[in-house]
Amino acid sequence: MIAAKHALCLLSVTAVFSAGVQPAKAQPATAQTGSLVTTDSAVFVERVDRHNGRRLEPASMLARGDRVVTVVTWKRMRGTGGFMLTNPLPARLAYQRSASDMQEVSVDGGRTWGRLETMRVDGHAATPEDVTHVRWRIPASYAALGQGRIAYAGVVR
């Protein structure tokens, strides 16, 4: 089981994994242009029932097999140009997909990056379960908005 602590703001949920591992959390990004970007992440669990269909709820308790969505909210504090956000995935979360095609993944702890379909692990094609990190290249045109959200889905192992 995974317990989550709720903050008053929906986008300030911080999940804590039973093994003591912190959930995927975007790291503050500093671009080559001297930009400073702050981030916050929220973890939601997908619930499905025959009366209400599919819905996302703030994560309070998670179990193996639960589908989760992590929403990373970023805000540019200073700087111009594009930047990157990097998000390490906890070992207990198997990556599924991102809501943005600006994303790249790493299957080796963040040393190499690319599209999942181009990555290899031990001589075979990488699978979503092999992903250790996700990062997004935020282009200057999108960064000029000053803030944004990116989401990705995973399954609790």
Side-chain angles (χ1 to χ4, degrees):
M1 300 292 283
I2 300 171
K5 299 176 184 176
H6 290 281
L8 294 176
C9 175
L10 185 63
L11 289 174
S12 295
V13 176
T14 302
V16 178
F17 285 77
S18 61
V21 177
Q22 291 295 322
K25 175 108 173 125
Q27 302 299 312
T30 303
Q32 293 175 343
T33 59
S35 296
L36 177 64
V37 177
T38 62
T39 61
D40 193 14
S41 64
V43 179
F44 299 90
V45 63
E46 181 182 276
R47 301 288 185 211
V48 180
D49 66 52
R50 65 176 189 229
H51 300 294
N52 297 315
R54 292 181 188 270
R55 66 189 184 286
L56 291 178
E57 297 176 350
S60 59
M61 293 298 288
L62 298 175
R64 178 174 283 171
D66 279 346
R67 294 184 48 82
V68 297
V69 174
T70 300
V71 178
V72 178
T73 302
W74 59 267
K75 183 175 183 181
R76 168 165 260 151
M77 304 306 286
R78 71 170 189 261
T80 59
F83 59 89
M84 284 190 289
L85 294 178
T86 300
N87 207 57
L89 272 69
R92 301 262 330 262
L93 185 65
Y95 173 80
Q96 294 296 295
R97 67 187 180 282
S98 174
S100 170
D101 57 353
M102 293 182 285
Q103 139 271 317
E104 297 176 306
V105 300
S106 175
V107 296
D108 60 8
R111 289 186 302 275
T112 59
W113 296 90
R115 305 284 299 171
L116 180 59
E117 59 273 9
T118 67
M119 304 302 286
R120 301 196 60 78
V121 174
D122 297 328
H124 64 81
T127 66
E129 292 78 21
D130 295 319
V131 174
T132 61
H133 291 71
V134 180
R135 80 175 176 190
W136 299 271
R137 293 180 185 272
I138 310 298
S141 59
Y142 192 61
L145 298 173
Q147 60 186 4
R149 290 188 183 130
I150 300 171
Y152 67 92
V155 174
V156 178
R157 300 179 205 233

